[in-house]
Amino acid sequence: MDNPGYSQYAIPTSDVVQCVEFSPFPWSAKLLAVATGNRVTAFSCIFQEEDEAVDGFEYTHIREFKLDCKSSALAWSPETSLSTIPKLMSFIAAGEDYKLRLVQSDLKEDDTVLAFEGHTSYVNSVTFDPNQGEQVASTGDDLTCRIWNKDGDVISVFQLTSPGMSVCWHNEEELKILVAQKNGIIRIFSLVNQQTIMSLNCGQSPIMAADWSRHNCLLVGAIAGTDWMMFDTSLSSQPIEKRQAHTDGGKYFKWSRCHESLLATIGRPGRQIKVFNKRHQQLHINTSLPVAYGLTWHLHLPVMAVGGDKRVHIWVVEST
């Protein structure tokens, strides 16, 4: 135990971790994807909070997938299930060569990798439509957000006025897509008529990340400049709360998937990692790492994972 407020674990890896992603779906919530070098490795994670027979934390290496380049973002497909016959593992990886790669495997012999081509610069964020997994959204430095089908065809392109840093699809708002632009504007688009439904203004830039609360589809969070901020889309296009997080600038922001009041940020100086409880107005975690890439929360547990130097760092937050 490093601290009375949390316990900490690690998964060793062969190289620096570029990004990490827990599956956000109930039937595959134990799965963690980890990108290192030109590989993505799938692990299964079990915590004592969900199984009393486990001593703290256990992980199982499931499969390693070799891709053609490093990955800049990952997203799980809702089609992934290890309890079906045949098993299906499906995720998408955004490559540093500007291509997306849809990886599908039956965890036996049959692995397929389909490249999606169209982005002309770095891809910063990617996600599946959360209910069917039939479509993929991606955004990046080429000033576009693109919607694709599973065959790699572009269905629609949203033109942005600044690089797209995050793209989010809410399971209760499947006909809308949220895109955070680096210039401080968060836009919510209609997938029906391709029009902007709403714009949220951080009042400062650069936005490095934004997230749509799983627990409340009206609540949007972001990190811009040195501050994290919250928006209630039913009230205003301006933040309803703002707080300094990192004096030299923030990089990552993620709402907890299981706890409506917890949020995590990573920023500078160094690689500061903070977990804040907005209800109690207190920090649960305030620590630093030499290397920190990626940030993801477990679906059912107050568990956060961050990529590090030859390891994935995992914290279990004691939350109320």
Side-chain angles (χ1 to χ4, degrees), residues 203-215:
Q204 59 199 62
S205 62
I207 290 184
M208 298 305 290
D211 197 20
W212 210 340
S213 171
R214 178 182 179 84
H215 303 276

Side-chain angles (χ1 to χ4, degrees), residues 14 45 105 131 170 173 189 201 205 212 253 278 284:
S14 59
C45 301
S105 173
N131 293 318
H170 201 286
E173 296 281 3
F189 295 101
N201 190 344
S205 62
W212 210 340
F253 177 100
K278 67 182 180 66
H284 286 275

